[in-house]
């Protein structure tokens, strides 16, 4: 059995090292893209609950898109998924 049986995540995924960026800017982007929407979701704002939740999801999409912590396609898909079950609700 070869000595190099254990592979890193980058080798398994086939992604070059430059794609997996662990820079401080990306870490700050992750913190902001998760922290701001969670804060908006639970903040006592004078808004309807549905509007407040839509604002939280939109803030995730905007921050994740600007900071590019996820590919743009995943950011858009992640932002649309919560609204797929909302067709029966009155806005």
């Amino acid at each position: 059995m070869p000595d190099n049986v254990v592979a890193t995540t980058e080798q398994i995924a086939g992604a070059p090292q430059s794609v997996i960026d662990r820079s401080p800017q990306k870490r700050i982007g992750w913190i902001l893209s998760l922290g701001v929407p969670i804060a908006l979701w639970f903040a006592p704002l004078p808004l309807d609950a549905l509007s407040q939740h839509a604002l939280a999801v939109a803030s995730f999409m905007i921050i994740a898109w600007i900071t590019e912590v996820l590919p743009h396609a995943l950011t858009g898909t992640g932002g649309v998924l919560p609204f797929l079950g909302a067709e029966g609700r009155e806005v």
Side-chain angles (χ1 to χ4, degrees), residues 24-35:
Q25 292 85 3
K26 292 291 181 178
R27 290 177 194 222
I28 292 170
W30 273 111
I31 292 168
L32 286 176
S33 66
L34 295 175

Side-chain angles (χ1 to χ4, degrees), residues 12-56:
I12 293 171
Q17 186 63 27
S18 63
V19 173
I20 301 170
D21 190 6
R22 293 184 174 97
S23 66
Q25 292 85 3
K26 292 291 181 178
R27 290 177 194 222
I28 292 170
W30 273 111
I31 292 168
L32 286 176
S33 66
L34 295 175
V36 171
I38 290 172
L40 284 173
W41 189 280
F42 295 110
L45 299 175
L47 295 172
D48 179 43
L50 187 62
S51 300
Q52 187 170 348
H53 297 165
L55 180 64

Side-chain angles (χ1 to χ4, degrees), residues 41-85:
W41 189 280
F42 295 110
L45 299 175
L47 295 172
D48 179 43
L50 187 62
S51 300
Q52 187 170 348
H53 297 165
L55 180 64
V57 171
S59 70
F60 162 75
M61 290 175 57
I62 292 168
I63 294 170
W65 196 1
I66 290 172
T67 59
E68 295 181 357
V69 293
L70 293 172
H72 294 310
L74 287 177
T75 301
T77 304
V80 171
L81 286 177
F83 297 110
L84 290 179

